[in-house]
C-alpha cells in the first residue's frame, strides 16, 4: 500500500500552478504523479491512497482515467491552506492497516530508492540526502545509530544531517 500526499497549493511555483496541482506538472515530458504511480506499479503496489486538496478534482480525474486498474482511495483535505502534512496523514489513518510507502506528491526520485526502502529489513525507513542546507527543505537530525532523532523545517544548518526527500516506509504501528 502507498500513501501520496498531494494537497498543497505550491504557491512558490506560480504561475505554473495557478490552475494545476503541482503533482500534475510535467518534468522531462512526464507528469510528476505519473512517475510515482508507474514506479509503485513496478514494485507491485497497486493500492494507493492519495490525499488531494488544491485542484483535487483535476488530480483525481487524471489518476482514475490514466490508471483505471489501480485501486485508488482518495481523501480530500479541505483544510489544505491551513493544515500540514501531518493533518493529511491523519485523514488517511482509517485506511491504513499495514505498512505503507509514504510519498510526497511532488517528489521525483530514482526508482532504486523506492526499491531499497520497500526491501529494507527495517519496519520503518526514510530516505534522506545530504545536500547543501536550505531553510525551505525538511531537514533531519540523526542519532548515532543512523535513526532519525528529529525531522522539521525548523532545524538549523549546523544541526542538520540531511534533507528528508519525501520517500519513506512506515509500519502500521
Amino acid at each position: 500500500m502507498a500513501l501520496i500526499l498531494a494537497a498543497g497549493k505550491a504557491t512558490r511555483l506560480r504561475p505554473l500552478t495557478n490552475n494545476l496541482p503541482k503533482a500534475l506538472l510535467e518534468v522531462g515530458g512526464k507528469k510528476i504523479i505519473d512517475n510515482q504511480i508507474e514506479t509503485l506499479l513496478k514494485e507491485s503496489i497497486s493500492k494507493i491512497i492519495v490525499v488531494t486538496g488544491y485542484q483535487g478534482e483535476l488530480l483525481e480525474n487524471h489518476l482514475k482515467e490514466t490508471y483505471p486498474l489501480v485501486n485508488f482511495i482518495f481523501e480530500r483535505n479541505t483544510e489544505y491552506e491551513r493544515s500540514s502534512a501531518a493533518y493529511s496523514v491523519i485523514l488517511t489513518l482509517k485506511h491504513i492497516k499495514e505498512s505503507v510507502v509514504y510519498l510526497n506528491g511532488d517528489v521525483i526520485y530514482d526508482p532504486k530508492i523506492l526499491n531499497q526502502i520497500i526491501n529494507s529489513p527495517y519496519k520503518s525507513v526514510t530516505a534522506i540526502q545530504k545536500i547543501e542546507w536550505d531553510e525551505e527543505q525538511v531537514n533531519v537530525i540523526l542519532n548515532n545509530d543512523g535513526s532519525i532523532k528529529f525531522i522539521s523545517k525548523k532545524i538549523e544548518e549546523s544541526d542538520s544531517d540531511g534533507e528528508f526527500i519525501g520517500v519513506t516506509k512506515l509500519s502500521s504501528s
Side-chain angles (χ1 to χ4, degrees), residues 1 47 49 73-75 91-97:
M1 174 181 278
K47 184 174 183 182
I49 303 167
I73 299 169
F74 296 105
E75 280 291 335
L91 293 175
T92 70
L93 291 179
K94 62 188 171 217
H95 304 292
I96 299 173
K97 307 290 185 241

Side-chain angles (χ1 to χ4, degrees), residues 119-135:
N119 293 306
S120 169
Y122 298 102
K123 290 182 180 180
S124 295
V125 66
T126 298
I128 66 169
Q129 64 180 349
K130 296 195 182 251
I131 61 170
E132 190 171 321
W133 183 87
D134 182 318
E135 67 183 72

Side-chain angles (χ1 to χ4, degrees), residues 39-171:
T39 302
L40 289 167
L41 292 173
K42 286 177 187 169
E43 293 292 339
S44 300
I45 297 174
S46 61
K47 184 174 183 182
I48 304 170
I49 303 167
V50 182
V51 181
T52 63
Y54 175 70
Q55 296 290 335
E57 191 172 316
L58 287 175
L59 180 56
E60 292 172 19
N61 288 339
H62 169 77
L63 291 172
K64 287 187 266 188
E65 291 169 11
T66 308
Y67 306 98
L69 301 178
V70 173
N71 180 8
F72 287 110
I73 299 169
F74 296 105
E75 280 291 335
R76 185 75 60 93
N77 179 350
T78 57
E79 302 295 321
Y80 64 87
E81 290 191 78
R82 296 183 295 278
S83 66
S84 66
Y87 180 77
S88 287
V89 171
I90 289 168
L91 293 175
T92 70
L93 291 179
K94 62 188 171 217
H95 304 292
I96 299 173
K97 307 290 185 241
E98 60 197 72
S99 292
V100 65
V101 174
Y102 163 106
L103 303 167
N104 287 334
D106 59 355
V107 175
I108 298 172
Y109 55 89
D110 187 320
K112 293 176 196 169
I113 293 172
L114 183 63
N115 181 273
Q116 288 175 333
I117 283 180
I118 290 169
N119 293 306
S120 169
Y122 298 102
K123 290 182 180 180
S124 295
V125 66
T126 298
I128 66 169
Q129 64 180 349
K130 296 195 182 251
I131 61 170
E132 190 171 321
W133 183 87
D134 182 318
E135 67 183 72
E136 286 297 318
Q137 66 197 26
V138 177
N139 289 282
V140 297
I141 298 174
L142 300 176
N143 290 311
N144 290 337
D145 66 357
S147 62
I148 293 177
K149 179 178 182 177
F150 192 65
I151 183 168
S152 174
K153 277 192 169 186
K154 297 178 181 178
I155 294 174
E156 296 297 322
E157 180 177 10
S158 59
D159 297 326
S160 177
D161 289 309
E163 175 194 17
F164 168 61
I165 66 168
V167 181
T168 195
K169 175 176 74 172
L170 301 169
S171 73

